[in-house]
Amino acid sequence: MRILCVSVTLLLQLLGSCVGQFPRPCATSEGLRTKECCPVWEGDGSACGALSGRGFCAEVEVSDEPHGPQYPHSGIDDRERWPLTFFNRTCRCAGNYGGFNCGECRFGFWGPGCAEYRESVRRNILTLSVAEQQKLISYLNLAKNTVNRDYVIITATRAEMGENGENPMFSDINTYDLFVWMHYYVSRDAFLGGPGNVWRDIDFAHESAAFLPWHRIYLLHWENEIRKLTGDFNFTIPYWDWRDAQACDVCTDSLMGGRSPFNPNLISPGSVFSSWKVICTQPEEYNDREALCNSTGEGPLLRNPGNHDPSRVTRLPTTADVDFVVRLTEYETGPMDRFANMSFRNALEGFASSETGIIVPGQSTMHNALHIFMNGSMSSVQGSANDPIFLLHHAFIDSIFERWLRTHQPDRTHYPRANAPIGHNDGYYMVPFLPLYRNGDYFLSNKALGYEYAYLLDPGQRFVQEFLTPYLQQAREIWQWLLGAGIIGALVAAIMALLVVIAVKRRNRNRRRKSYGERQPLLQSSSEDGSASYQTTL
């Protein structure tokens, strides 16, 4: 028990802060003025844990490779050449250390020296035990109602904060909405100056090569934030395997919330998600005001699965669709955007047919099809992460990416080094993560990142994860009740046995008494008859 407590304590220390928009220590006038984000690691009191050899403060080197023609501007948007508009010096971590201050471990590594590799398994949400499903929902709700202790968001552009950062504009945000805001910020339109004057053909996480690596990092960070918040270091994001589904299998009150009987666009009052407020769902209003989403609540979570435009999404993806897409050999082709034909990324993202690989303007397939099918908050790119189904959906999309990587085993040259849309080249740092991650560094198997998917395991391992583990988990959750019932049952059985023994003894005693009473008249009769012999015997 003592060893377990020590291990948990070490993990808590190592998982300190893990995910990014702006680290609190850097969200100051001084940080903006110096453009340095090299926070102190509390473990040794030095910037980036330098005294312990964990890392050091270094100049940020960004890629100068040209991007595609989709975004013809320069020096207008804060996300260009990320993160130089805000910081040009950050922590560079050594070995398996990671985090914005090198105070934690890289994905998949644990322990005081970050030397222990551990693989977590993401499981199908429909195979989780009832207790595990309830725990997931409680964790989501806890994240929605807990201010993040390590990160804040910006509520204005860098220019609005003053040349020397004299007017820092940052805001607290809860852990769940931190990720909603990040997904909004990475995909928002670029402000060109003046109300409504924006450039729409820009997205640093969608419609090109970074779509899959970016969301992979996003999910890993989200997973770690929940572990840090709850202390449950075995937590993994479950996935929803929607292949061949005819309806929203997870849209029940016991999972992600059923349909409200009072309004089909709302979540059932029987689900905790019915009380959630969404953020960052009004892009046109932000554009008109030339302002960023500031995380203010904007109304209830909306969802009306299946009541979408049938001409846009004719059906949900099938097993055959997924298998066809996985067989496509090229990751990117042609313009490397939503108009790319025979591109695995573009077909999986949902801009091309899952039967031919050719683009289908006006229709949505695969990943996009699920977003449209949900017909609500999840159907708008910038605000889609408001719906918790987003996490289950993208976990399954990530698993299909993993299938493709294992099938074709591409080397890094298959990922575009140059001329992809802005933000998507190999060497571009992912917006808006701090610490920094290059797109091409995560064009690799999830095995290297410390996690696996249950349905991709070997048959024996899959049986353990999907069948035996839930059974044992359920047994662990009710063993106290089983033990109590066993003890009570044993006591009842003992009492019953005792009562039976007592009853039998009383019956035998009564028989002897009855036998004695029956002989008395005979003795008397013998006496009356003068039977001396009988009397003498008596």
Side-chain angles (χ1 to χ4, degrees):
M1 185 67 181
R2 183 178 179 181
I3 294 174
L4 176 61
C5 292
V6 172
S7 299
V8 170
T9 301
L10 287 171
L11 285 173
L12 283 169
Q13 292 173 347
L14 289 170
L15 278 176
S17 53
C18 86
V19 47
Q21 176 43 50
F22 290 85
R24 283 186 184 276
C26 305
T28 63
S29 292
E30 179 68 11
L32 293 173
R33 184 186 65 81
T34 62
K35 303 189 74 170
E36 182 174 292
C37 185
C38 294
V40 168
W41 177 51
E42 294 180 358
D44 64 8
S46 67
C48 309
L51 293 179
S52 301
R54 301 179 76 96
F56 56 94
C57 193
E59 296 288 333
V60 176
E61 299 175 359
V62 300
S63 171
D64 289 322
E65 294 291 347
H67 59 74
Q70 294 85 354
Y71 180 71
H73 307 284
S74 178
I76 290 179
D77 193 279
D78 289 345
R79 298 166 296 178
E80 296 176 31
R81 296 169 62 82
W82 180 263
L84 295 186
T85 299
F86 294 96
F87 305 110
N88 57 24
R89 284 176 62 83
T90 63
C91 287
R92 186 176 301 171
C93 303
N96 292 329
Y97 298 116
F100 62 69
N101 62 355
C102 301
E104 52 183 276
C105 300
R106 285 172 46 205
F107 301 120
F109 289 90
W110 302 77
C114 298
E116 175 190 347
Y117 174 81
R118 192 179 81 175
E119 186 176 282
S120 302
V121 178
R122 292 176 180 172
R123 294 162 53 201
N124 189 329
I125 189 172
L126 299 179
T127 68
L128 300 182
S129 68
V130 172
E132 288 172 322
Q133 292 172 348
Q134 292 173 344
K135 182 168 66 175
L136 169 66
I137 294 169
S138 69
Y139 284 0
L140 289 168
N141 202 45
L142 178 63
K144 186 73 170 179
N145 291 282
T146 306
V147 173
N148 191 275
R149 69 186 185 188
D150 296 314
Y151 285 88
V152 294
I153 61 169
I154 56 172
T155 58
T157 63
R158 177 62 185 86
E160 292 177 283
M161 298 188 199
E163 183 178 355
N164 293 313
E166 58 269 19
N167 185 32
M169 300 179 72
F170 299 95
S171 175
D172 285 337
I173 193 168
N174 68 62
T175 295
Y176 188 93
D177 286 348
L178 170 66
F179 287 88
V180 177
W181 190 92
M182 290 170 65
H183 195 266
Y184 147 78
Y185 188 78
V186 76
S187 58
R188 70 174 180 85
D189 300 331
F191 300 143
L192 300 181
N197 185 21
V198 297
W199 187 264
R200 300 182 187 277
D201 194 7
I202 183 173
D203 192 318
F204 293 79
H206 301 86
E207 301 185 16
S208 192
F211 169 67
L212 294 167
W214 189 94
H215 285 85
R216 172 162 283 190
I217 292 297
Y218 179 90
L219 292 179
L220 281 166
H221 274 309
W222 198 95
E223 216 163 43
N224 280 340
E225 275 298 296
I226 294 299
R227 291 170 179 168
K228 183 173 65 175
L229 177 64
T230 63
D232 181 357
F233 297 103
N234 293 315
F235 172 80
T236 55
I237 297 173
Y239 58 88
W240 172 31
D241 184 348
W242 33 249
R243 289 175 296 182
D244 305 309
Q246 300 300 311
C248 179
D249 300 331
V250 297
C251 294
T252 65
D253 283 352
S254 61
L255 291 174
M256 298 296 105
R259 195 191 309 269
S260 170
F262 309 108
N263 184 335
N265 295 312
L266 298 179
I267 307 299
S268 164
S271 168
V272 68
F273 301 117
S274 64
S275 64
W276 279 25
K277 301 299 181 184
V278 299
I279 66 168
C280 303
T281 60
Q282 300 173 0
E284 295 307 317
E285 180 184 330
Y286 313 143
N287 291 344
D288 289 340
R289 294 190 291 111
E290 201 174 3
L292 297 180
C293 164
N294 62 7
S295 79
T296 300
E298 297 172 342
L301 178 63
L302 302 177
R303 189 195 304 147
N304 191 350
N307 291 323
H308 58 284
D309 181 358
S311 66
R312 177 110 180 248
V313 174
T314 58
R315 57 176 174 76
L316 291 179
T318 65
T319 299
D321 293 331
V322 173
D323 291 344
F324 173 84
V325 169
V326 170
R327 287 195 298 270
L328 293 173
T329 58
E330 296 298 321
Y331 185 74
E332 281 294 356
T333 63
M336 297 180 285
D337 58 14
R338 65 181 181 274
F339 300 109
N341 290 318
M342 305 305 291
S343 154
F344 163 72
R345 188 276 314 159
N346 203 37
L348 179 56
E349 191 169 356
F351 294 105
S353 169
S354 54
E355 297 176 332
T356 66
I358 306 301
I359 62 169
V360 281
Q363 293 188 20
S364 296
T365 65
M366 298 300 287
H367 156 267
N368 290 346
L370 265 292
H371 280 275
I372 299 301
F373 176 83
M374 289 302 161
N375 193 31
S377 301
M378 196 169 156
S379 302
S380 172
V381 175
Q382 295 182 23
S384 59
N386 278 291
D387 194 327
I389 292 177
F390 176 96
L391 297 167
L392 313 181
H393 172 44
H394 271 274
F396 193 62
I397 291 295
D398 184 69
S399 77
I400 299 173
F401 178 34
E402 182 63 22
R403 283 185 58 188
W404 185 85
L405 289 170
R406 295 184 190 183
T407 299
H408 302 284
Q409 299 183 359
D411 57 38
R412 189 159 173 170
T413 59
H414 280 72
Y415 192 95
R417 183 176 179 180
N419 299 316
I422 186 170
H424 292 264
N425 284 344
D426 180 304
Y428 209 95
Y429 287 120
M430 298 179 185
V431 177
F433 292 106
L434 288 169
L436 302 174
Y437 301 97
R438 293 186 190 273
N439 293 322
D441 290 341
Y442 296 89
F443 188 66
L444 78 173
S445 172
N446 57 27
K447 291 283 189 180
L449 301 172
Y451 72 100
E452 175 62 287
Y453 287 97
Y455 83 103
L456 298 182
L457 292 169
D458 294 334
Q461 294 175 303
R462 183 178 177 184
F463 173 79
V464 170
Q465 285 294 333
E466 293 194 339
F467 300 100
L468 185 58
T469 297
Y471 174 80
L472 294 176
Q473 176 68 23
Q474 193 167 12
R476 282 196 298 268
E477 291 160 359
I478 64 172
W479 74 268
Q480 298 97 330
W481 297 100
L482 292 175
L483 180 60
I487 293 173
I488 293 173
L491 289 174
V492 170
I495 292 170
M496 292 297 295
L498 181 61
L499 291 175
V500 169
V501 170
I502 293 172
V504 170
K505 287 184 176 180
R506 286 184 176 177
R507 181 180 179 186
N508 291 339
R509 188 180 298 115
N510 289 338
R511 284 179 176 176
R512 288 196 297 270
R513 287 178 178 175
K514 184 176 180 181
S515 175
Y516 177 80
E518 288 175 347
R519 288 198 295 270
Q520 293 304 313
L522 294 176
L523 293 174
Q524 293 170 2
S525 176
S526 299
S527 175
E528 292 170 357
D529 293 343
S531 176
S533 61
Y534 205 92
Q535 288 283 358
T536 304
T537 303
L538 181 62

